[in-house]
Amino acid sequence: MRSVGLKTLKNKLSEYVRIAAGGETVLVTDRDRVVAEIGPPNPARSSMPSDALLLDAVRNGWLTPSIIIGRGPPPRNPVMTVDTLLNELHSDRADR
């Protein structure tokens, strides 16, 4: 485990992020007091930031996950065929 001051961390951030990505925890200090830790991500965490943001939104109650678990999008039930739509569009424009 390493420790680093804020000023040094600011100047060499990418180096310390690489150290943390390699599995080591880095303690961040401010005036010789530990204020934060930089460590490797939890192995159970997704590598996609969007997944973490969605999970956080569900935890905070901003989103409610779906109760139905499906294998893809639901089947499409078109309101009308493309030909019918184009015919109606043509008739609407003919009135102008």
Side-chain angles (χ1 to χ4, degrees):
M1 188 176 308
R2 297 182 190 200
S3 67
V4 62
L6 280 174
K7 185 175 181 180
T8 305
L9 178 66
K10 178 183 162 193
N11 294 331
K12 297 181 178 183
L13 180 61
S14 59
E15 177 184 332
Y16 286 101
V17 168
R18 277 194 288 279
I19 291 170
E24 190 173 343
T25 300
V26 178
L27 299 176
V28 181
T29 60
D30 183 22
R31 296 182 182 98
D32 296 326
R33 189 180 62 132
V34 176
V35 293
E37 290 183 16
I38 300 174
N42 186 337
R45 179 181 300 276
S46 171
S47 63
M48 301 296 295
S50 59
D51 291 344
L53 292 173
L54 284 173
L55 184 60
D56 191 43
V58 170
R59 279 192 201 124
N60 288 323
W62 301 331
L63 293 176
T64 304
S66 173
I67 296 172
I68 301 170
I69 299 174
R71 296 181 181 214
R76 292 182 56 203
N77 296 323
V79 176
M80 63 181 72
T81 64
V82 173
D83 291 332
T84 306
L85 178 65
L86 291 175
N87 288 336
E88 285 189 18
L89 182 62
H90 180 67
S91 66
D92 284 347
R93 289 182 176 173
D95 294 342
R96 292 182 189 176

